[in-house]
Amino acid sequence: MKARYSVIVPMYNEEEVIQITYERLKKVMDGCGDSYELVFVNDGSRDRTAEIMRGISNTDEHVKLIDFSRNFGHQVAITAGMDYAEGQAVVVIDADLQDPPEVILEMIAKWKEGYEVVYAKRLKRHGETFFKKVTAKIFYRLLSSMTSVEIPTDTGDFRLIDRKVCDVLRGLKEKNRYVRGLVSWVGFRQTMVEYVREERFAGETKYPLKKMIRFALDGITSFSHKPLKIASYVGFFLSFSSFLYLFLVLFQKVFTSWTVPGWASIVGVNLLFNGIVLMLLGVIGEYIGRIYDESKDRPLYIVSETKGYPDAETEDTRKESDYAR
């Protein structure tokens, strides 16, 4: 019998917390009164995360493990979980216990009311630095202002989606994925539950500043062309300003005896304009790089091992191949 609920848990170096995460998820899902599966996706962890989950999978038939051949990224791990999930309702939750598993029951209640997407909105964020809170708030509001898709602010990947939504998302093949944006883009009936985000139970954040910047770029470039438009506007403004400045220089040369001597001002202006041009080329390069990624058409991930699933010969034909997507 297929599970009614699937809980997807992407993992990367979570050996310090994964046992507690499993126990809390199991307690919550045992209380839901229906069949369920816990789909743990090991995103190339370098510690004992996969080993611990193999042991748990051997003793609990609800637990399934998808083990990547290497680290492919958090968003791709969520995508793999959706590919393998069998439930009529699919929940995505991180392994660090910042998102309380108990909120899942509230999501299920909303789903039973007829909503097809239930996302969790953070009222407070404990255990995070002032810098991260401020930058996150700026990013979500900037993204909202730049896109035509209404992406809820102060939300993460912690959410429940209906089977039909999951099937639609599985059909989206783009490589640089921003899952929470894709969920908003597909539409359907959506609502929210509110919660307080807790401090990380153990371990270190898997989104340092470098990854956060990359993640922000994926979100903006996946759902907005405005950076390209801004580049055009800035280029037009600078060209027009330079044209006016040329008239000023000619006027000084022809009608006055005073001209600007020296080369310092010329070098300064050249450096300014060249810097702006390079910045705009960088924006264009981000889009071209993503076009290049799509054109290569490599699989999103490669699975080295699964636990709790049938043999490769009898696996569900929904997947493009047994071990790659």
Side-chain angles (χ1 to χ4, degrees):
M1 183 177 63
K2 287 187 177 182
R4 189 178 188 195
Y5 304 115
S6 297
V7 181
I8 299 169
V9 189
M11 309 176 295
Y12 179 66
N13 294 343
E14 300 288 3
E15 65 176 3
E16 298 179 50
V17 68
I18 198 61
Q19 179 70 39
I20 304 299
T21 300
Y22 157 71
E23 292 173 1
R24 284 184 61 178
L25 282 171
K26 180 175 175 58
K27 181 178 179 181
V28 169
M29 298 312 296
D30 282 343
C32 74
D34 217 326
S35 59
Y36 68 91
E37 62 177 358
L38 304 178
V39 183
F40 290 85
V41 185
N42 180 41
D43 186 21
S45 297
R46 299 179 180 179
D47 59 8
R48 297 179 57 251
T49 299
E51 179 184 342
I52 294 170
M53 288 314 306
R54 287 190 195 98
I56 294 174
S57 178
N58 290 332
T59 59
D60 189 343
E61 63 180 4
H62 296 103
V63 175
K64 299 179 179 180
L65 173 65
I66 303 166
D67 193 11
F68 283 177
S69 62
R70 66 169 178 84
N71 177 254
F72 285 93
H74 179 261
Q75 299 295 289
V76 174
I78 293 174
T79 301
M82 291 181 180
D83 287 343
Y84 280 78
E86 299 179 343
Q88 293 304 304
V90 178
V91 178
V92 178
I93 184 171
D94 287 339
D96 55 17
L97 293 180
Q98 285 188 284
D99 302 324
E102 292 74 19
V103 178
I104 294 175
L105 297 180
E106 298 180 41
M107 293 179 172
I108 291 175
K110 290 290 185 181
W111 176 66
K112 289 181 177 179
E113 292 177 12
Y115 292 101
E116 291 147 324
V117 175
V118 184
Y119 54 86
K121 183 172 183 178
R122 305 159 183 152
L123 293 178
K124 295 182 180 179
R125 301 164 65 111
H126 293 314
E128 295 183 351
T129 64
F130 175 78
F131 175 77
K132 186 170 184 178
K133 290 178 182 178
V134 170
T135 52
K137 181 170 290 189
I138 292 173
F139 164 68
Y140 286 122
R141 281 148 185 81
L142 177 64
L143 181 63
S144 178
S145 66
M146 296 183 72
T147 62
S148 58
V149 179
E150 185 177 346
I151 302 176
T153 58
D154 301 320
T155 62
D157 294 308
F158 185 28
R159 63 190 61 214
L160 177 150
I161 61 174
D162 187 80
R163 176 80 258 163
K164 68 178 73 172
V165 181
C166 184
D167 289 341
V168 171
L169 291 171
R170 289 179 56 249
L172 304 179
K173 306 299 184 183
E174 57 196 77
K175 310 299 181 184
N176 298 284
R177 303 179 73 81
Y178 184 65
V179 174
R180 66 193 72 169
L182 293 175
V183 174
S184 297
W185 181 84
V186 299
F188 297 99
R189 293 189 62 200
Q190 304 198 9
T191 190
M192 70 173 181
V193 295
E194 296 178 329
Y195 76 108
V196 175
R197 196 169 204 227
E198 301 296 338
E199 186 175 355
R200 193 184 223 295
F201 183 83
E204 299 178 352
T205 178
K206 303 308 181 292
Y207 271 100
L209 180 60
K210 182 179 178 180
K211 283 191 175 181
M212 286 298 297
I213 293 174
R214 188 67 188 175
F215 187 57
L217 287 174
D218 286 341
I220 293 173
T221 55
S222 294
F223 293 93
S224 176
H225 296 149
K226 285 188 178 180
L228 290 175
K229 294 181 180 179
I230 292 172
S232 299
Y233 297 151
V234 172
F236 176 80
F237 173 76
L238 292 177
S239 297
F240 183 72
S241 301
S242 301
F243 189 69
L244 293 179
Y245 183 69
L246 177 61
F247 270 107
L248 176 61
V249 172
L250 291 175
F251 178 82
Q252 289 178 338
K253 182 68 176 178
V254 175
F255 297 104
T256 70
S257 60
W258 179 80
T259 59
V260 180
W263 54 270
S265 58
I266 297 175
V267 172
V269 170
N270 281 336
L271 288 175
L272 173 64
F273 281 84
N274 288 338
I276 293 173
V277 169
L278 290 174
M279 180 188 70
L280 300 181
L281 287 175
V283 172
I284 297 172
E286 284 291 333
Y287 284 90
I288 294 175
R290 282 157 173 73
I291 295 171
Y292 178 60
D293 286 340
E294 299 295 332
S295 68
K296 288 185 290 189
D297 199 29
R298 293 175 183 169
L300 278 176
Y301 57 84
I302 298 173
V303 176
S304 64
E305 178 189 6
T306 61
K307 295 282 290 184
Y309 289 96
D311 293 336
E313 291 78 14
T314 59
E315 272 193 29
D316 199 316
T317 56
R318 293 177 303 164
K319 292 177 275 297
E320 293 182 358
S321 68
D322 292 330
Y323 296 102
R325 178 192 186 277

